[in-house]
């Protein structure tokens, strides 16, 4: 029974009944190509999240809580639209970037950052 390899398009006789690709190299290339496509799609968001994490790590360090001027975050390139999760903190839904939590603030000049790293 001939099968068609989804990577190369060649016809082949499978050695096992569950064999999908004509060779191990074609299987690896297929999965590597799919992973590369996903990395390209995710790159802008991943880059912004990484940048935000670097900024918060630099500013907060190992402190449990820090209040930072909004202007400073903006000048460093912090992107408020990108975060890793939402988390409840003191009854409020907060944006999170890994182990940092940014509770909603009443002030437009200052932002509180909570460091939940152990």
């Amino acid at each position: 029974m001939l099968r068609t390899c989804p990577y190369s398009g060649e016809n082949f006789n499978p050695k096992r009944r569950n064999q999908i690709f004509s060779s191990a190299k074609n299987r690896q290339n297929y999965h590597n190509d799919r992973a590369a496509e996903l990395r390209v799609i995710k790159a802008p968001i991943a880059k912004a999240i990484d940048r935000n994490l670097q900024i918060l790590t630099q500013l907060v360090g190992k402190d449990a809580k820090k209040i930072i001027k909004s202007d400073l975050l903006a000048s460093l390139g912090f992107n408020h639209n990108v975060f890793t999760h939402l988390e409840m903190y003191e009854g409020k839904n907060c944006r999170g970037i890994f182990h940092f939590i940014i509770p909603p603030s009443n002030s437009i000049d200052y932002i509180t950052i909570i460091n939940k790293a152990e």
Side-chain angles (χ1 to χ4, degrees):
M1 161 178 67
L2 281 179
R3 287 198 184 161
T4 303
C5 177
Y7 182 74
S8 65
E10 68 183 277
N11 291 324
F12 68 98
N13 283 318
K15 295 176 181 146
R16 298 175 324 277
R17 66 183 144 126
N18 65 342
Q19 183 177 350
I20 297 170
F21 298 93
S22 60
S23 67
K25 189 68 177 163
N26 281 357
R27 184 187 71 246
Q28 292 166 356
N29 288 341
Y30 175 84
H31 291 294
N32 286 341
D33 289 352
R34 287 190 59 206
E37 290 171 7
L38 288 176
R39 278 192 300 276
V40 168
I41 291 168
K42 295 188 299 186
I45 294 170
K47 184 176 179 180
I49 288 172
D50 286 345
R51 181 72 187 136
N52 282 355
L53 179 61
Q54 289 174 355
I55 291 168
L56 294 179
T57 301
Q58 174 189 352
L59 293 176
V60 178
K62 295 187 186 287
D63 295 342
K65 181 179 182 180
K66 193 144 192 182
I67 298 172
I68 300 171
K69 288 192 89 168
S70 299
D71 294 347
L72 177 59
L73 282 177
S75 71
L76 293 172
F78 189 85
N79 184 341
H80 292 277
N81 297 320
V82 188
F83 47 92
T84 57
H85 65 286
L86 294 173
E87 185 171 330
M88 290 299 285
Y89 180 77
E90 295 182 350
K92 296 179 183 174
N93 214 3
C94 307
R95 292 172 287 139
I97 298 172
F98 296 100
H99 58 281
F100 294 106
I101 298 172
I102 306 167
S105 176
N106 295 333
S107 169
I108 58 170
D109 296 327
Y110 294 95
I111 294 175
T112 302
I113 309 294
I114 309 296
N115 183 352
K116 291 188 67 178
E118 297 179 344

